[in-house]
């Protein structure tokens, strides 16, 4: 008779103890979960992603100003500051004014108060006192590993600007392809040097090169314009050196001032072209071309000409990529040309996609 | 529940003693450890206070859990471990003291 109530009291007591134990276990789990969540938030979640969908890239640089362009997600507010020699300059609408000539400026583009992209550029010097380094690429815009590699190798040369001999985007320079074919692969390069493009067949195929012209705010049409970088003049002719381009080049090369002149055209200029005597008389240091997917160096009617057509797209069928007769050097290696233009002459160095020197010429 | 409250009282007193001797930031490690013990043991006490329901006991257990959390987060939030530990210590005998006073007044 007495055993029943004692057993009846023991059962709720055990239940209570079990409840206490379960509650304590739950508390431990809550704390463990809290620790995991805090650790996850503070140490495992990465920083906010890249707010830029394009660039920022250096669009233009001259002696006292520079222009940067970008596209940004969600209309975020971007502030660009450039600095050199202990002095900072704040950009207005991407335009930096009041810069000192011949200086390397570092820049930082900040979103929400912290730098989201950085780079540097060199303003043009007034006179040719020290060598100016620039790069030349061509037939590159395919968005493949070779293009990325060439872009990295040339970025390491810290060029002042980059000339392109056309075919900037394959198969066509449609607006939707430019990020994939130009701005992404060449991102490290474009953060420090403006791209100075002329146009090839693949660029002109899409509305006469409208997309390239708009993206790089080019002054001329169909890749025909003149660019000055301090004492260097570059005359870009577009697809080929025909009669109209001949007149354009003659007028541009008559302008006084430059210490060195270069010409860029997509299709290589062949012997007998009437433009060659004009270039020779004007003292053009070299012609840079593309179109043929090879690297070639040759002298055509007394004018030094480089074909830089291996910066990304590649040779393809060798039956259509034969070496040019009379070329001093003709190679299929992917790469780009580094040019050091100084008061004592010009040094041309072709670097392959691994950074090796393939060809070198001092003139 | 008495053993649980006794354990919490010991832990809270230890936290107060350590906090009185150690300065910041050395105190935050032992304080967080004490806070974890207070939080877990008080959770068990809270469960016991719910069956049967005893409002004051449950409230002090919940308050002890909050003190435990405050001790865990004392470092990041800059809360004083001495004061938090003292509050936790004061909460433990409170139901017994209030209960004794109520019994006396009823007897009168």
């Amino acid at each position: 008779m007495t055993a029943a109530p004692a057993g009846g009291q023991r059962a709720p007591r055990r239940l209570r103890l079990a409840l206490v134990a379960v509650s304590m276990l739950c508390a431990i789990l809550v704390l463990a979960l809290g620790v995991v969540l805090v650790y996850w938030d503070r140490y495992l979640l990465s920083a906010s992603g890249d707010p830029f969908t394009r660039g920022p890239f250096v669009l233009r640089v001259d002696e006292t100003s520079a222009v940067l362009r970008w596209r940004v997600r969600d209309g975020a507010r971007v502030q660009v500051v450039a600095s050199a020699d202990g002095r900072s300059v704040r950009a207005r609408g991407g335009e930096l004014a009041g810069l000192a000539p011949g200086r390397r400026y570092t820049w930082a583009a900040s979103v929400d108060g912290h730098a989201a992209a950085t780079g540097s550029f060199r303003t043009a010097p007034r006179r040719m006192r020290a060598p100016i380094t620039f790069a030349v690429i061509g037939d590159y815009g395919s968005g493949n590993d070779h293009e990325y590699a060439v872009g990295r190798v040339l970025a390491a040369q810290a060029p002042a600007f980059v000339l392109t001999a056309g075919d900037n985007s394959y198969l066509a320079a449609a607006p939707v392809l430019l990020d994939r074919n130009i701005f992404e692969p060449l991102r490290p390069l474009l953060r420090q040097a403006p791209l100075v493009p002329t146009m090839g067949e693949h660029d002109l195929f899409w509305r006469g090169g409208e997309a390239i012209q708009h993206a790089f705010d080019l002054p001329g049409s169909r890749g025909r314009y003149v660019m000055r970088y301090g004492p260097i003049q570059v005359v870009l002719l577009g697809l080929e050196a025909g009669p109209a381009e001949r007149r354009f080049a003659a007028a541009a090369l008559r302008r006084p001032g430059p210490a060195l002149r270069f010409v860029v055209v997509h299709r290589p200029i062949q012997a007998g072209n009437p433009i060659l005597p004009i270039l020779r008389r004007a003292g053009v240091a070299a012609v840079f071309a593309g179109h043929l997917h090879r690297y070639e160096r040759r002298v055509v009617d007394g004018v030094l000409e480089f074909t830089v057509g291996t910066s990304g797209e590649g040779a393809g069928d060798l039956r259509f990529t034969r070496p040019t007769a009379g070329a001093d050097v003709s190679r299929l290696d992917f790469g780009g040309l580094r040019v050091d233009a100084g008061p004592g002459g010009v040094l041309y160095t072709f670097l392959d996609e691994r950074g090796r020197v393939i060809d070198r010429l001092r003139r | 529940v008495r053993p649980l409250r006794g354990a919490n009282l010991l832990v809270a007193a230890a936290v107060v003693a350590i906090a009185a001797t150690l300065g910041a930031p050395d105190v935050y490690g032992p304080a967080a450890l004490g806070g974890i013990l207070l939080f877990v043991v008080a959770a068990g006490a809270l469960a016991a206070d719910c069956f049967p329901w005893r409002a004051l006991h449950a409230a002090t257990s919940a308050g002890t859990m909050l003190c435990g959390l405050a001790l865990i987060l004392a470092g990041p939030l800059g809360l004083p471990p001495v004061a938090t530990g003292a509050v936790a210590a004061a909460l433990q005998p409170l139901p017994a003291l209030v209960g004794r006073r109520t019994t006396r007044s009823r007897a009168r």
Side-chain angles (χ1 to χ4, degrees):
Chain A
M1 290 293 284
T2 52
Q9 276 179 355
R10 219 177 289 147
R13 186 180 164 76
R14 279 183 188 160
L15 196 65
R16 202 156 168 248
L17 281 174
L19 190 66
V20 168
V22 168
S23 300
M24 289 168 79
L25 194 64
C26 286
I28 291 170
L29 289 176
V30 165
L31 285 179
L33 185 68
V35 168
V36 168
L37 288 176
V38 168
Y39 185 79
W40 185 277
D41 179 61
R42 293 190 65 168
Y43 300 109
L44 295 184
L45 288 180
S46 59
S48 56
D50 187 354
F52 294 102
T53 56
R54 177 180 290 184
F57 62 98
V58 181
L59 182 73
R60 250 192 315 275
V61 178
D62 60 26
E63 291 167 13
T64 56
S65 69
V67 179
L68 274 77
R69 286 279 185 271
W70 59 80
R71 280 187 189 169
V72 72
R73 251 183 258 282
D74 306 326
R77 198 155 163 260
V78 180
Q79 286 190 332
V80 177
V81 173
S83 56
D85 303 331
R87 200 174 72 89
S88 290
V89 180
R90 200 169 153 177
R92 289 187 179 179
E95 299 197 17
L96 294 151
L99 307 179
R103 296 273 195 290
R104 179 158 288 279
Y105 279 84
T106 58
W107 59 263
S110 299
V111 177
D112 294 334
H114 52 259
T118 57
S120 67
F121 59 82
R122 183 177 285 282
T123 51
R126 291 197 196 284
R127 291 180 195 84
M128 185 76 85
R129 284 185 180 148
I132 296 170
T133 301
F134 63 91
V136 186
I137 54 176
D139 305 81
Y140 66 95
S142 52
N144 60 15
D145 287 343
H146 302 295
E147 185 187 354
Y148 275 89
V150 171
R152 291 183 197 114
V153 167
L154 292 180
Q157 314 303 313
F161 56 91
V162 182
L163 303 177
T164 89
D167 284 357
N168 302 282
S169 177
Y170 288 90
L171 284 170
V176 72
L177 293 175
L178 298 192
D179 286 308
R180 181 196 177 275
N181 291 342
I182 302 174
F183 291 103
E184 281 304 317
L186 301 185
R187 181 178 262 208
L189 186 59
L190 298 184
R191 285 190 169 179
Q192 54 180 302
L195 205 70
V196 184
T198 196
M199 294 190 207
E201 294 88 347
H202 291 274
D203 306 310
L204 295 165
F205 173 74
W206 188 272
R207 297 185 177 182
E210 187 184 88
I212 297 287
Q213 185 164 347
H214 180 70
F216 293 99
D217 199 15
L218 301 183
S221 65
R222 301 181 73 81
R224 193 192 305 159
Y225 59 99
V226 179
M227 193 278 285
R228 276 292 296 267
Y229 183 84
I232 292 179
Q233 181 196 44
V234 182
V235 181
L236 299 105
L237 299 179
L239 185 65
E240 59 188 348
E245 289 77 15
R246 202 159 59 234
R247 287 192 295 276
F248 178 78
L253 293 170
R254 269 199 299 271
R255 289 179 209 160
L260 271 171
R261 300 176 197 265
F262 296 93
V263 168
V264 183
V265 62
H266 180 63
R267 291 181 182 165
I269 300 173
Q270 304 302 337
N273 188 314
I275 200 172
L276 288 168
I278 298 170
L279 305 186
R280 206 171 46 243
R281 278 198 298 275
V284 169
V287 173
F288 304 115
H291 191 59
L292 177 70
H293 291 189
R294 278 184 167 271
Y295 165 71
E296 290 194 335
R297 171 164 61 81
R298 61 198 180 120
V299 177
V300 189
D301 293 353
V303 177
L304 179 64
E305 184 170 25
F306 291 90
T307 301
V308 189
T310 56
S311 302
E313 176 60 8
D317 194 327
L318 292 179
R319 283 177 300 174
F320 306 110
T321 319
R322 291 193 175 131
T324 306
D328 298 321
V329 177
S330 185
R331 307 275 302 226
L332 287 167
D333 308 72
F334 286 99
L337 188 67
R338 171 187 166 137
V339 183
D340 297 283
V346 185
L347 175 65
Y348 303 91
T349 311
F350 183 76
L351 298 158
D352 75 356
E353 62 179 332
R354 284 189 261 179
R356 299 177 302 186
V357 174
I358 300 296
D359 183 35
R360 201 160 183 265
L361 176 74
R362 186 177 284 281
R363 270 283 181 110
Chain B
V1 187
R2 273 183 195 161
L4 299 179
R5 289 195 193 286
N8 272 346
L9 183 60
L10 278 176
V11 172
V15 168
V16 172
I18 290 168
T21 47
L22 290 179
D26 297 341
V27 71
Y28 294 129
L33 193 64
I36 290 170
L37 287 172
L38 281 177
F39 185 82
V40 171
V41 175
L46 179 62
D49 294 334
C50 291
F51 301 98
W53 173 251
R54 292 178 297 175
L56 182 64
H57 291 71
T60 54
S61 294
T64 308
M65 285 183 78
L66 288 177
C67 287
L69 272 183
L71 284 171
I72 292 168
L73 300 172
L77 299 182
L79 298 169
V82 177
T84 316
V87 170
L91 284 174
Q92 306 316 311
L94 194 63
L97 291 172
V98 172
R100 201 173 292 168
R101 187 171 292 175
T102 314
T103 314
R104 271 184 204 163
S105 61
R106 274 183 192 161
R108 279 173 195 168

